[in-house]
Amino acid sequence: MPTEKIALVFAGGGSLGAVQVGTLHALVEGGVTFDLVVGASVGAINGAYFAARPNAQGVSELADFWRDLRKTDVFPFSLVDTVMGILHGRGHLLGTWALRHLVHRSLPVELIEETELPLHIVTIILLNDVEELLSSGHAEQALLACAPIPLVFPFVQIGGKFLVDGGVASNTPIASAVVLGATRVIVVPTGFGCASTSPPKGLVALALHTLNLMSMRQVVRDIKLYSPRAAIHVVPPLCPLDTSVFDFNRAGKLAQRAYESTELWIKEDGLFSFGVPHRLQEHTHHFG
């Protein structure tokens, strides 16, 4: 009888990555274990931290990290820097110094292969849109390579390849988990602002919102596509949700809601359920 191999897959989703902290809390508390971790975009940062410390203490430290996080820690806007970048044809709006500092202080390991659980970080090769899976090497550099949203951050060069945010083509890398031999996949999406009443303000906020909507469509597509090859269980994201992927002020509340929601999902045998959760399908909310 073949041995079961369980993968934990983290989606991208900007500030909604805080949702994954609450989900992790409930999964660890429920005694759920994993054999490997795969992540894209912000999900790779959460995944790297969890892979390094896959226990209650590690999740608690990750929660502290998210509670202290502010928008300027990720997107340090400077009008002068942005204008100069445009005038000089830089090709991106923001530098990576703040993101580099953030990743550096959040990582408990130096090398990917030092994590307790095998870690795989999804990026995309800029020149041909081919997925590049980083499973060894410098962890900080790999996370910087999976985070640069095109036009917002510069690409990162590793081994002669120009890499950008894996979320561009595989924001919830179910396919990568299956290729790596997973027979069971637990997916942790971030969700989307299904209850938002107005569009995001600003170029970057709008770009992140659009990318997130595309990524949730990818989740639905990949669940259906890879279900014949592996048992896929999707933790339902928060709903209704009116938080922007650009709003870093609600991390604590999002994590708490996600913990309660995931705890209920586990009690209702969600770990043995299949299919696409309603919260990931197209829907609207009418209030008032």
Side-chain angles (χ1 to χ4, degrees), residues 115-202:
T115 56
E116 185 171 328
L117 295 177
L119 170 66
H120 307 275
I121 296 170
V122 178
T123 66
I124 297 296
I125 300 176
L126 177 63
L127 299 182
N128 55 19
D129 195 34
V130 172
E131 184 177 297
E132 179 78 0
L133 205 58
L134 303 177
S135 306
S136 62
H138 201 275
E140 180 180 320
Q141 189 179 28
L143 291 178
L144 287 174
C146 81
I149 305 160
L151 303 181
V152 178
F153 293 113
F155 57 77
V156 172
Q157 185 174 356
I158 297 179
K161 298 175 182 178
F162 305 103
L163 306 175
V164 296
D165 190 343
V168 172
S170 185
N171 207 44
T172 305
I174 296 172
S176 299
V178 173
V179 169
L180 289 164
T183 58
R184 188 178 177 202
V185 180
I186 297 177
V187 182
V188 186
T190 53
F192 59 97
C194 56
S196 298
T197 57
S198 59
K201 296 180 180 180

Side-chain angles (χ1 to χ4, degrees), residues 36-276:
L36 68 151
V37 175
V38 186
S41 196
V42 72
I45 296 177
N46 285 338
Y49 209 109
F50 182 71
R53 298 177 179 173
N55 50 49
Q57 180 62 32
V59 174
S60 177
E61 293 174 3
L62 183 59
D64 291 339
F65 163 76
W66 272 96
R67 273 193 292 269
D68 293 337
L69 193 61
R70 296 295 177 265
K71 186 187 300 182
T72 52
D73 292 326
V74 184
F75 303 102
F77 287 105
S78 165
L79 181 59
V80 174
D81 179 62
T82 300
V83 171
M84 291 300 293
I86 293 173
L87 291 176
H88 288 88
R90 186 170 63 185
H92 54 87
L93 295 176
L94 303 174
T96 58
W97 62 268
L99 190 60
R100 185 179 296 276
H101 175 71
L102 175 68
V103 169
H104 179 75
R105 70 181 174 89
S106 67
L107 268 179
V109 296
E110 183 175 344
L111 300 176
I112 295 175
E113 52 267 39
E114 292 175 344
T115 56
E116 185 171 328
L117 295 177
L119 170 66
H120 307 275
I121 296 170
V122 178
T123 66
I124 297 296
I125 300 176
L126 177 63
L127 299 182
N128 55 19
D129 195 34
V130 172
E131 184 177 297
E132 179 78 0
L133 205 58
L134 303 177
S135 306
S136 62
H138 201 275
E140 180 180 320
Q141 189 179 28
L143 291 178
L144 287 174
C146 81
I149 305 160
L151 303 181
V152 178
F153 293 113
F155 57 77
V156 172
Q157 185 174 356
I158 297 179
K161 298 175 182 178
F162 305 103
L163 306 175
V164 296
D165 190 343
V168 172
S170 185
N171 207 44
T172 305
I174 296 172
S176 299
V178 173
V179 169
L180 289 164
T183 58
R184 188 178 177 202
V185 180
I186 297 177
V187 182
V188 186
T190 53
F192 59 97
C194 56
S196 298
T197 57
S198 59
K201 296 180 180 180
L203 179 63
V204 176
L206 185 59
L208 282 172
H209 175 78
T210 303
L211 185 62
N212 193 50
L213 291 179
M214 291 170 56
S215 73
M216 293 305 107
R217 291 279 185 106
Q218 291 172 6
V219 179
V220 173
R221 177 201 66 191
D222 286 354
I223 292 170
K224 297 176 180 177
L225 184 62
Y226 291 97
S227 289
R229 298 177 58 182
I232 299 176
H233 314 283
V234 186
V235 181
L238 297 181
C239 178
L241 184 61
D242 62 357
T243 306
S244 162
V245 293
F246 202 52
D247 182 359
F248 289 84
N249 295 320
R250 304 190 194 181
K253 293 181 179 179
L254 290 175
Q256 181 60 32
R257 280 187 61 193
Y259 166 75
E260 295 169 358
S261 175
T262 306
E263 185 181 41
L264 179 61
W265 178 74
I266 293 173
K267 288 180 179 178
E268 295 178 343
D269 288 332
L271 287 165
F272 303 97
S273 64
F274 301 92
V276 181

Side-chain angles (χ1 to χ4, degrees), residues 14-25:
S15 64
L16 297 183
V19 169
Q20 296 172 335
V21 179
T23 295
L24 281 174
H25 184 184

